[in-house]
mmCIF file of all heavy atoms in Angstrom:
data_model
loop_
_atom_site.group_PDB
_atom_site.id
_atom_site.type_symbol
_atom_site.label_atom_id
_atom_site.label_comp_id
_atom_site.label_asym_id
_atom_site.label_seq_id
_atom_site.Cartn_x
_atom_site.Cartn_y
_atom_site.Cartn_z
ATOM 1 N N LEU A 1 137.878 70.115 145.082
ATOM 2 C CA LEU A 1 136.760 69.353 144.544
ATOM 3 C C LEU A 1 135.572 69.413 145.509
ATOM 4 O O LEU A 1 134.425 69.671 145.093
ATOM 5 C CB LEU A 1 137.188 67.905 144.307
ATOM 6 C CG LEU A 1 136.144 66.950 143.732
ATOM 7 C CD1 LEU A 1 135.574 67.478 142.426
ATOM 8 C CD2 LEU A 1 136.752 65.570 143.530
ATOM 9 N N ASP A 2 135.847 69.214 146.789
ATOM 10 C CA ASP A 2 134.782 69.294 147.785
ATOM 11 C C ASP A 2 134.135 70.676 147.789
ATOM 12 O O ASP A 2 132.900 70.800 147.856
ATOM 13 C CB ASP A 2 135.353 69.010 149.185
ATOM 14 C CG ASP A 2 135.897 67.593 149.324
ATOM 15 O OD1 ASP A 2 135.648 66.767 148.430
ATOM 16 O OD2 ASP A 2 136.587 67.329 150.323
ATOM 17 N N HIS A 3 134.968 71.704 147.718
ATOM 18 C CA HIS A 3 134.434 73.074 147.782
ATOM 19 C C HIS A 3 133.573 73.388 146.569
ATOM 20 O O HIS A 3 132.557 74.098 146.687
ATOM 21 C CB HIS A 3 135.578 74.077 147.892
ATOM 22 C CG HIS A 3 135.132 75.447 148.275
ATOM 23 N ND1 HIS A 3 135.092 76.501 147.387
ATOM 24 C CD2 HIS A 3 134.679 75.943 149.464
ATOM 25 C CE1 HIS A 3 134.638 77.581 147.991
ATOM 26 N NE2 HIS A 3 134.388 77.285 149.251
ATOM 27 N N SER A 4 133.946 72.882 145.398
ATOM 28 C CA SER A 4 133.137 73.109 144.194
ATOM 29 C C SER A 4 131.762 72.471 144.337
ATOM 30 O O SER A 4 130.748 73.055 143.925
ATOM 31 C CB SER A 4 133.856 72.546 142.965
ATOM 32 O OG SER A 4 135.020 73.284 142.674
ATOM 33 N N ILE A 5 131.714 71.272 144.913
ATOM 34 C CA ILE A 5 130.420 70.613 145.131
ATOM 35 C C ILE A 5 129.579 71.437 146.098
ATOM 36 O O ILE A 5 128.377 71.654 145.875
ATOM 37 C CB ILE A 5 130.637 69.191 145.680
ATOM 38 C CG1 ILE A 5 131.345 68.324 144.633
ATOM 39 C CG2 ILE A 5 129.304 68.548 146.071
ATOM 40 C CD1 ILE A 5 131.822 66.991 145.161
ATOM 41 N N SER A 6 130.201 71.914 147.168
ATOM 42 C CA SER A 6 129.484 72.748 148.146
ATOM 43 C C SER A 6 128.946 74.015 147.496
ATOM 44 O O SER A 6 127.788 74.413 147.725
ATOM 45 C CB SER A 6 130.399 73.123 149.312
ATOM 46 O OG SER A 6 130.719 72.006 150.094
ATOM 47 N N ARG A 7 129.780 74.672 146.693
ATOM 48 C CA ARG A 7 129.388 75.948 146.089
ATOM 49 C C ARG A 7 128.146 75.792 145.218
ATOM 50 O O ARG A 7 127.221 76.620 145.270
ATOM 51 C CB ARG A 7 130.533 76.534 145.266
ATOM 52 C CG ARG A 7 131.670 77.108 146.097
ATOM 53 C CD ARG A 7 132.723 77.759 145.211
ATOM 54 N NE ARG A 7 132.233 78.984 144.589
ATOM 55 C CZ ARG A 7 132.013 79.138 143.295
ATOM 56 N NH1 ARG A 7 132.230 78.144 142.457
ATOM 57 N NH2 ARG A 7 131.573 80.285 142.819
ATOM 58 N N ILE A 8 128.109 74.752 144.407
ATOM 59 C CA ILE A 8 126.963 74.555 143.522
ATOM 60 C C ILE A 8 125.699 74.282 144.324
ATOM 61 O O ILE A 8 124.633 74.883 144.084
ATOM 62 C CB ILE A 8 127.253 73.406 142.535
ATOM 63 C CG1 ILE A 8 128.352 73.813 141.545
ATOM 64 C CG2 ILE A 8 125.982 73.007 141.778
ATOM 65 C CD1 ILE A 8 128.854 72.676 140.674
ATOM 66 N N ASN A 9 125.802 73.393 145.290
ATOM 67 C CA ASN A 9 124.621 73.055 146.090
ATOM 68 C C ASN A 9 124.160 74.225 146.940
ATOM 69 O O ASN A 9 122.951 74.493 147.043
ATOM 70 C CB ASN A 9 124.925 71.838 146.962
ATOM 71 C CG ASN A 9 124.860 70.534 146.202
ATOM 72 O OD1 ASN A 9 123.792 69.956 146.024
ATOM 73 N ND2 ASN A 9 126.008 70.059 145.745
ATOM 74 N N GLU A 10 125.099 74.938 147.543
ATOM 75 C CA GLU A 10 124.723 76.061 148.395
ATOM 76 C C GLU A 10 124.172 77.231 147.580
ATOM 77 O O GLU A 10 123.281 77.962 148.050
ATOM 78 C CB GLU A 10 125.917 76.514 149.228
ATOM 79 C CG GLU A 10 126.365 75.513 150.282
ATOM 80 C CD GLU A 10 125.304 75.254 151.337
ATOM 81 O OE1 GLU A 10 124.442 76.138 151.552
ATOM 82 O OE2 GLU A 10 125.316 74.169 151.946
ATOM 83 N N ALA A 11 124.685 77.414 146.368
ATOM 84 C CA ALA A 11 124.175 78.502 145.522
ATOM 85 C C ALA A 11 122.728 78.241 145.116
ATOM 86 O O ALA A 11 121.892 79.162 145.122
ATOM 87 C CB ALA A 11 125.057 78.663 144.289
ATOM 88 N N PHE A 12 122.402 77.002 144.779
ATOM 89 C CA PHE A 12 121.003 76.680 144.453
ATOM 90 C C PHE A 12 120.125 76.772 145.705
ATOM 91 O O PHE A 12 118.978 77.245 145.640
ATOM 92 C CB PHE A 12 120.909 75.287 143.830
ATOM 93 C CG PHE A 12 120.952 75.296 142.321
ATOM 94 C CD1 PHE A 12 122.066 74.844 141.645
ATOM 95 C CD2 PHE A 12 119.879 75.770 141.584
ATOM 96 C CE1 PHE A 12 122.119 74.853 140.251
ATOM 97 C CE2 PHE A 12 119.905 75.781 140.190
ATOM 98 C CZ PHE A 12 121.034 75.330 139.529
ATOM 99 N N ARG A 13 120.657 76.312 146.846
ATOM 100 C CA ARG A 13 119.881 76.412 148.091
ATOM 101 C C ARG A 13 119.543 77.868 148.405
ATOM 102 O O ARG A 13 118.404 78.193 148.761
ATOM 103 C CB ARG A 13 120.671 75.796 149.239
ATOM 104 C CG ARG A 13 119.910 75.789 150.577
ATOM 105 C CD ARG A 13 120.850 75.615 151.753
ATOM 106 N NE ARG A 13 121.861 76.657 151.808
ATOM 107 C CZ ARG A 13 121.635 77.911 152.211
ATOM 108 N NH1 ARG A 13 120.422 78.276 152.589
ATOM 109 N NH2 ARG A 13 122.610 78.797 152.234
ATOM 110 N N ALA A 14 120.535 78.744 148.241
ATOM 111 C CA ALA A 14 120.315 80.163 148.530
ATOM 112 C C ALA A 14 119.300 80.770 147.560
ATOM 113 O O ALA A 14 118.442 81.579 147.970
ATOM 114 C CB ALA A 14 121.640 80.915 148.444
ATOM 115 N N ALA A 15 119.379 80.414 146.278
ATOM 116 C CA ALA A 15 118.433 80.939 145.291
ATOM 117 C C ALA A 15 117.019 80.456 145.586
ATOM 118 O O ALA A 15 116.044 81.228 145.499
ATOM 119 C CB ALA A 15 118.866 80.514 143.885
ATOM 120 N N ILE A 16 116.886 79.188 145.950
ATOM 121 C CA ILE A 16 115.574 78.618 146.278
ATOM 122 C C ILE A 16 114.970 79.313 147.495
ATOM 123 O O ILE A 16 113.784 79.647 147.538
ATOM 124 C CB ILE A 16 115.721 77.091 146.509
ATOM 125 C CG1 ILE A 16 115.916 76.390 145.153
ATOM 126 C CG2 ILE A 16 114.523 76.522 147.252
ATOM 127 C CD1 ILE A 16 116.302 74.937 145.266
ATOM 128 N N GLU A 17 115.816 79.552 148.507
ATOM 129 C CA GLU A 17 115.339 80.227 149.725
ATOM 130 C C GLU A 17 114.982 81.679 149.452
ATOM 131 O O GLU A 17 113.936 82.166 149.900
ATOM 132 C CB GLU A 17 116.438 80.145 150.782
ATOM 133 C CG GLU A 17 116.048 80.733 152.122
ATOM 134 C CD GLU A 17 117.155 80.570 153.155
ATOM 135 O OE1 GLU A 17 117.677 79.438 153.281
ATOM 136 O OE2 GLU A 17 117.509 81.574 153.811
ATOM 137 N N LYS A 18 115.791 82.360 148.679
ATOM 138 C CA LYS A 18 115.552 83.784 148.407
ATOM 139 C C LYS A 18 114.260 83.991 147.618
ATOM 140 O O LYS A 18 113.480 84.917 147.904
ATOM 141 C CB LYS A 18 116.737 84.363 147.627
ATOM 142 C CG LYS A 18 116.577 85.822 147.258
ATOM 143 C CD LYS A 18 117.799 86.348 146.522
ATOM 144 C CE LYS A 18 117.637 87.826 146.168
ATOM 145 N NZ LYS A 18 118.835 88.359 145.459
ATOM 146 N N LEU A 19 113.998 83.137 146.632
ATOM 147 C CA LEU A 19 112.834 83.308 145.762
ATOM 148 C C LEU A 19 111.620 82.519 146.248
ATOM 149 O O LEU A 19 110.572 82.536 145.598
ATOM 150 C CB LEU A 19 113.194 82.891 144.337
ATOM 151 C CG LEU A 19 114.297 83.725 143.669
ATOM 152 C CD1 LEU A 19 114.650 83.158 142.298
ATOM 153 C CD2 LEU A 19 113.872 85.180 143.532
ATOM 154 N N GLU A 20 111.782 81.800 147.365
ATOM 155 C CA GLU A 20 110.709 80.996 147.957
ATOM 156 C C GLU A 20 110.195 79.941 146.984
ATOM 157 O O GLU A 20 108.989 79.711 146.826
ATOM 158 C CB GLU A 20 109.565 81.897 148.438
ATOM 159 C CG GLU A 20 110.006 82.870 149.518
ATOM 160 C CD GLU A 20 108.871 83.725 150.058
ATOM 161 O OE1 GLU A 20 107.736 83.617 149.540
ATOM 162 O OE2 GLU A 20 109.115 84.496 150.991
ATOM 163 N N TYR A 21 111.126 79.308 146.339
ATOM 164 C CA TYR A 21 110.810 78.186 145.440
ATOM 165 C C TYR A 21 110.333 77.012 146.287
ATOM 166 O O TYR A 21 110.926 76.699 147.327
ATOM 167 C CB TYR A 21 112.068 77.809 144.651
ATOM 168 C CG TYR A 21 111.865 76.807 143.539
ATOM 169 C CD1 TYR A 21 111.411 77.211 142.289
ATOM 170 C CD2 TYR A 21 112.162 75.460 143.734
ATOM 171 C CE1 TYR A 21 111.252 76.294 141.259
ATOM 172 C CE2 TYR A 21 111.996 74.532 142.718
ATOM 173 C CZ TYR A 21 111.542 74.960 141.476
ATOM 174 O OH TYR A 21 111.386 74.042 140.455
ATOM 175 N N GLN A 22 109.290 76.341 145.847
ATOM 176 C CA GLN A 22 108.641 75.326 146.667
ATOM 177 C C GLN A 22 109.101 73.910 146.328
ATOM 178 O O GLN A 22 108.293 72.986 146.198
ATOM 179 C CB GLN A 22 107.122 75.448 146.513
ATOM 180 C CG GLN A 22 106.561 76.785 146.950
ATOM 181 C CD GLN A 22 106.924 77.109 148.403
ATOM 182 O OE1 GLN A 22 106.604 76.339 149.308
ATOM 183 N NE2 GLN A 22 107.585 78.245 148.620
ATOM 184 N N ASN A 23 110.377 73.742 146.185
ATOM 185 C CA ASN A 23 110.924 72.393 146.033
ATOM 186 C C ASN A 23 112.432 72.470 146.270
ATOM 187 O O ASN A 23 112.932 73.495 146.747
ATOM 188 C CB ASN A 23 110.590 71.776 144.674
ATOM 189 C CG ASN A 23 110.339 70.264 144.783
ATOM 190 O OD1 ASN A 23 111.068 69.549 145.480
ATOM 191 N ND2 ASN A 23 109.307 69.783 144.113
ATOM 192 N N THR A 24 113.145 71.465 145.879
ATOM 193 C CA THR A 24 114.552 71.387 146.229
ATOM 194 C C THR A 24 115.420 71.221 144.980
ATOM 195 O O THR A 24 114.914 71.150 143.858
ATOM 196 C CB THR A 24 114.795 70.208 147.198
ATOM 197 O OG1 THR A 24 116.128 70.275 147.700
ATOM 198 C CG2 THR A 24 114.598 68.874 146.485
ATOM 199 N N TYR A 25 116.732 71.149 145.223
ATOM 200 C CA TYR A 25 117.719 70.949 144.143
ATOM 201 C C TYR A 25 118.490 69.674 144.408
ATOM 202 O O TYR A 25 118.815 69.352 145.564
ATOM 203 C CB TYR A 25 118.681 72.133 144.082
ATOM 204 C CG TYR A 25 119.924 71.858 143.248
ATOM 205 C CD1 TYR A 25 119.875 71.901 141.855
ATOM 206 C CD2 TYR A 25 121.140 71.543 143.860
ATOM 207 C CE1 TYR A 25 121.001 71.641 141.094
ATOM 208 C CE2 TYR A 25 122.269 71.288 143.102
ATOM 209 C CZ TYR A 25 122.197 71.325 141.721
ATOM 210 O OH TYR A 25 123.307 71.057 140.973
ATOM 211 N N ARG A 26 118.799 68.952 143.340
ATOM 212 C CA ARG A 26 119.660 67.787 143.412
ATOM 213 C C ARG A 26 120.681 67.858 142.269
ATOM 214 O O ARG A 26 120.297 67.954 141.095
ATOM 215 C CB ARG A 26 118.861 66.490 143.285
ATOM 216 C CG ARG A 26 118.043 66.138 144.498
ATOM 217 C CD ARG A 26 118.920 65.652 145.642
ATOM 218 N NE ARG A 26 118.119 65.171 146.753
ATOM 219 C CZ ARG A 26 117.701 65.920 147.753
ATOM 220 N NH1 ARG A 26 118.011 67.210 147.770
ATOM 221 N NH2 ARG A 26 116.983 65.412 148.732
ATOM 222 N N GLY A 27 121.941 67.818 142.621
ATOM 223 C CA GLY A 27 122.984 67.805 141.601
ATOM 224 C C GLY A 27 123.381 66.382 141.251
ATOM 225 O O GLY A 27 123.324 65.477 142.091
ATOM 226 N N VAL A 28 123.760 66.170 140.023
ATOM 227 C CA VAL A 28 124.345 64.889 139.600
ATOM 228 C C VAL A 28 125.603 65.191 138.794
ATOM 229 O O VAL A 28 125.630 66.117 137.985
ATOM 230 C CB VAL A 28 123.368 64.012 138.777
ATOM 231 C CG1 VAL A 28 122.166 63.608 139.593
ATOM 232 C CG2 VAL A 28 122.929 64.718 137.501
ATOM 233 N N PHE A 29 126.644 64.430 139.038
ATOM 234 C CA PHE A 29 127.905 64.627 138.324
ATOM 235 C C PHE A 29 127.966 63.682 137.134
ATOM 236 O O PHE A 29 127.825 62.467 137.293
ATOM 237 C CB PHE A 29 129.092 64.367 139.251
ATOM 238 C CG PHE A 29 130.426 64.406 138.539
ATOM 239 C CD1 PHE A 29 130.961 65.604 138.108
ATOM 240 C CD2 PHE A 29 131.121 63.231 138.272
ATOM 241 C CE1 PHE A 29 132.174 65.642 137.434
ATOM 242 C CE2 PHE A 29 132.337 63.255 137.609
ATOM 243 C CZ PHE A 29 132.869 64.465 137.174
ATOM 244 N N PRO A 30 128.196 64.216 135.916
ATOM 245 C CA PRO A 30 128.316 63.352 134.731
ATOM 246 C C PRO A 30 129.666 62.633 134.756
ATOM 247 O O PRO A 30 130.723 63.266 134.637
ATOM 248 C CB PRO A 30 128.249 64.334 133.549
ATOM 249 C CG PRO A 30 127.895 65.663 134.128
ATOM 250 C CD PRO A 30 128.314 65.637 135.562
ATOM 251 N N ILE A 31 129.640 61.329 134.902
ATOM 252 C CA ILE A 31 130.871 60.566 135.078
ATOM 253 C C ILE A 31 131.806 60.741 133.893
ATOM 254 O O ILE A 31 133.034 60.709 134.044
ATOM 255 C CB ILE A 31 130.536 59.076 135.312
ATOM 256 C CG1 ILE A 31 129.758 58.925 136.626
ATOM 257 C CG2 ILE A 31 131.798 58.224 135.370
ATOM 258 C CD1 ILE A 31 129.252 57.519 136.897
ATOM 259 N N LYS A 32 131.263 60.975 132.705
ATOM 260 C CA LYS A 32 132.108 61.099 131.509
ATOM 261 C C LYS A 32 133.099 62.255 131.603
ATOM 262 O O LYS A 32 134.131 62.258 130.934
ATOM 263 C CB LYS A 32 131.251 61.295 130.254
ATOM 264 C CG LYS A 32 130.467 62.595 130.208
ATOM 265 C CD LYS A 32 129.727 62.753 128.895
ATOM 266 C CE LYS A 32 128.882 64.025 128.873
ATOM 267 N NZ LYS A 32 127.719 63.937 129.777
ATOM 268 N N VAL A 33 132.809 63.243 132.433
ATOM 269 C CA VAL A 33 133.669 64.420 132.525
ATOM 270 C C VAL A 33 135.010 64.080 133.173
ATOM 271 O O VAL A 33 136.040 64.631 132.807
ATOM 272 C CB VAL A 33 132.956 65.547 133.290
ATOM 273 C CG1 VAL A 33 133.862 66.760 133.481
ATOM 274 C CG2 VAL A 33 131.683 65.949 132.550
#
């Protein structure tokens, strides 16, 4: 579970850095799942 959270956040961080996106990413977990 921890690794899945890391993977999603790190994948967006890497995409943002690679494309020089000028803002950040925030994940939210839908409790219903």
Side-chain angles (χ1 to χ4, degrees):
L1 180 56
D2 296 349
H3 193 254
S4 292
I5 295 170
S6 292
R7 287 184 70 248
I8 292 171
N9 281 276
E10 292 297 335
F12 266 108
R13 183 199 58 75
I16 286 170
E17 183 177 311
K18 178 178 181 179
L19 297 176
E20 298 183 356
Y21 189 83
Q22 299 303 303
N23 216 317
T24 189
Y25 166 78
R26 287 287 187 270
V28 297
F29 174 73
I31 296 174
K32 66 176 177 290
V33 176

